Amino acid sequence: MEHITLLLGIVIVTALVFDFTNGFHDTANAMATTISTGALKPKTAVAMSAVLNLVGAFLSVEVAKTISGGLINESGITTEVIFAALVGAILWNLLTWLIGLPSSSSHALFGGLIGATLMSVGTSGVNGSVVITKVLLPAVAAPIVAGVAAYLATRLTFRLAAKTDEKSTAKGYRAGQIASAGLVSLAHGTNDAQKTMGVITLALVTGNVLAPGSNPPLWVIVSAGVAIALGTYLGGWRIIRTMGTGLTDLRPPQGFSAQTGAATVILASSHLGFSLSTTQVCSGSVMGAGLGRKGGVVRWSTATRMFVAWGLTLPAAGLVAAAAEFLTGQGTWGVTAVAILLVAGSGAIWALSRRKPVTADDLDSTGTAAAGTAEPAGVVTTAMAAVTPPPAGVLAADDLKATLHSPTGTSAEPARPAASV
C-alpha cells in the first residue's frame, strides 16, 4: 500500500466507483422478478441482495484472473489506460441507467479496457482469443441457454401444478423465489465484484505494486465487495421497473423458474472463469419464463431496445475510453481533463434523472409498476395476442346467439382487450 502513487490511488477509487454503479445498475438482475411478483418488498429485496453480493465476492477469484491477466496483455499497459477504460464504462453505465435499460456493466468494462488498450498500444495489447472464447461467445450463448432453461422449467412447473389451486401454491413458490433470488445475488457478487477486483489488480501490476499474475490482495477483495454491496442497496429502481414489468408480467412460478435458471448459469460460468454478463443471463431467463406460461408473451418493443443496447455497449464504451486514453496520453493536464469530464458527465446524468425520479415508492405493494408507468405492449405482442384463440368455454350461449343474429355475422359485444402478459 505504501507504494501507491496519486494516479494509482485515483484509478483505484475510480474502479470502486464503477463497482458501485455496477451494483445499482444490476440490482434488477437478482430482485426485479421477486419484487414484481410481490415475494419481497422493494427495500427488503435490495437489502438482502446487498448482503449476498458482499458474501459472493469472497467465493472465487477465477473471473478476476481472467480480467487481470487474460483479456489484455499486462506488458505495455499503463495506469492511465485503466483509468480511461473505467471512464468509458462508468459513463455508459450511468447513461443506460438513466433511460432504464438493463445493459451489461460487464461489457461496458470490457469495451472500455479494449478501446483504451487499442488506443494506447494497438492490437498487440488485446488477447483476441480470450475476447472471443470468454467474452463474446458467452455473451451470445448464456442468455439463450438461460432463456431455454427458464422456458422449460416454467412449462414443467405449470404442468406439475395444473391440478392444484394457484393460490394454495403461491406461498410456496414465493418462498422458493426468495431463495433463488438470494442465489442470483450470491452469483452476481461472485461474478461481477470480481471484475473490479481484476481491474484493481491489473492497475497494481502496471504500477509495479504487484507481480504479474498475482491474485487480488485481501483488501482489494473486501473493498470491491463493499462497493458493489453499497451500490446494490441503493437500488436501481429504473431498471428494476423495466425488468420486473417492462419485459413481461410474471407469476410466482415463473419468477422462481427464471431466477433458478439464471443463478445456475452464472455460478457455472464463474467456476469456469467465463466473465459473462449477468444482465444478459437474467434478461434471457425472464423472457424464457414469460414465454413458458401458456398465453404468455414478451413485450418485444422493450426487448428490442434492450438488444440494441447490448450490441452498442462494447463499441460505445470502447470509443469513449479510447477518446479518454487519447487525452490521458497528453500528460498530467490530459488526466486532469478526463477526471473533470467524468465528474461533469456523471453530474449531468444525475441532474437529468432528478427531473423524473424513480424510487421504491413508485413500485406498489405487489411490486408491480405503479399505475401508468408500465410500458404498453408492442406491435408484435398485440398481434400475437390478437390471433391467440380464446380458451374453450369463453363464449357463452348468449354471445353465440348474438353473433348468429347479427347482420354482419359478428358479435355486437365490444372486443375484449388482450390480457396484459
Side-chain angles (χ1 to χ4, degrees):
M1 295 288 288
E2 63 272 16
H3 301 293
I4 293 179
T5 62
L6 176 60
L7 178 59
L8 187 54
I10 292 174
V11 171
I12 292 171
V13 171
T14 307
L16 294 176
V17 170
F18 166 77
D19 205 23
F20 181 83
T21 66
N22 190 348
F24 73 74
H25 194 279
D26 289 3
T27 306
N29 295 342
M31 291 301 169
T33 56
T34 306
I35 294 171
S36 69
T37 60
L40 284 175
K41 297 291 186 182
K43 292 185 178 179
T44 303
V46 297
M48 170 183 162
S49 183
V51 172
L52 291 172
N53 266 278
L54 177 59
V55 174
F58 292 88
L59 297 184
S60 171
V61 293
E62 291 301 318
V63 174
K65 288 192 288 187
T66 297
I67 301 285
S68 63
L71 189 64
I72 61 176
N73 296 319
E74 295 170 338
S75 58
I77 299 301
T78 63
T79 308
E80 289 85 352
V81 172
I82 301 172
F83 178 55
L86 290 167
V87 169
I90 290 171
L91 289 177
W92 182 255
N93 262 4
L94 291 176
L95 180 61
T96 51
W97 163 77
L98 176 66
I99 58 181
L101 280 181
S103 68
S104 171
S105 297
S106 305
H107 285 189
L109 179 59
F110 300 153
L113 284 170
I114 293 170
T117 301
L118 289 175
M119 175 61 71
S120 176
V121 300
T123 56
S124 62
V126 179
N127 291 324
S129 60
V130 175
V131 173
I132 293 173
T133 59
K134 292 201 172 185
V135 177
L136 296 182
L137 289 180
V140 175
I144 296 175
V145 171
V148 171
Y151 173 84
L152 294 175
T154 302
R155 297 287 290 183
L156 178 62
T157 298
F158 277 107
R159 177 166 294 183
L160 293 176
K163 296 182 179 180
T164 61
D165 180 46
E166 185 174 342
K167 291 183 178 180
S168 64
T169 59
K171 187 175 181 180
Y173 279 123
R174 285 194 172 97
Q177 195 176 354
I178 293 171
S180 61
L183 193 59
V184 173
S185 296
L186 195 70
H188 183 260
T190 303
N191 198 283
D192 278 42
Q194 287 188 58
K195 292 159 188 167
T196 300
M197 295 179 208
V199 168
I200 296 177
T201 302
L202 182 61
L204 294 173
V205 170
T206 61
N208 298 317
V209 177
L210 293 177
S214 299
N215 286 337
L218 180 61
W219 68 267
V220 172
I221 296 174
V222 172
S223 59
V226 170
I228 200 169
L230 289 174
T232 302
Y233 183 70
L234 182 66
W237 306 115
R238 293 171 181 272
I239 300 177
I240 287 175
R241 184 175 64 183
T242 299
M243 285 278 284
T245 59
L247 280 174
T248 185
D249 293 337
L250 298 179
R251 296 177 183 174
Q254 294 169 279
F256 173 72
S257 300
Q259 290 172 317
T260 302
T264 302
V265 173
I266 296 169
L267 287 173
S269 69
S270 296
H271 178 71
L272 296 173
F274 291 146
S275 187
L276 53 75
S277 166
T278 54
T279 299
Q280 293 179 0
V281 172
C282 293
S283 299
S285 291
V286 168
M287 287 187 280
L291 293 173
R293 175 169 60 87
K294 186 177 181 180
V297 294
V298 172
R299 294 186 178 93
W300 293 109
S301 56
T302 301
T304 300
R305 295 206 326 268
M306 204 166 61
F307 296 151
V308 171
W310 290 358
L312 290 176
T313 296
L314 272 170
L319 286 173
V320 174
E325 166 56 21
F326 177 78
L327 284 177
T328 59
Q330 309 305 310
T332 304
W333 73 267
V335 175
T336 305
V338 170
I340 293 173
L341 289 173
L342 173 61
V343 174
S346 301
I349 292 173
W350 181 85
L352 288 173
S353 73
R354 294 303 88 195
R355 293 183 178 181
K356 291 184 178 180
V358 179
T359 67
D361 295 333
D362 294 317
L363 303 178
D364 64 23
S365 59
T366 62
T368 56
T373 62
E375 179 180 324
V379 175
V380 176
T381 297
T382 304
M384 291 177 66
V387 300
T388 301
V394 168
L395 290 179
D398 291 342
D399 296 329
L400 182 58
K401 183 178 180 181
T403 301
L404 292 175
H405 291 283
S406 172
T408 60
T410 59
S411 173
E413 181 185 359
R416 293 181 176 87
S420 175
V421 293

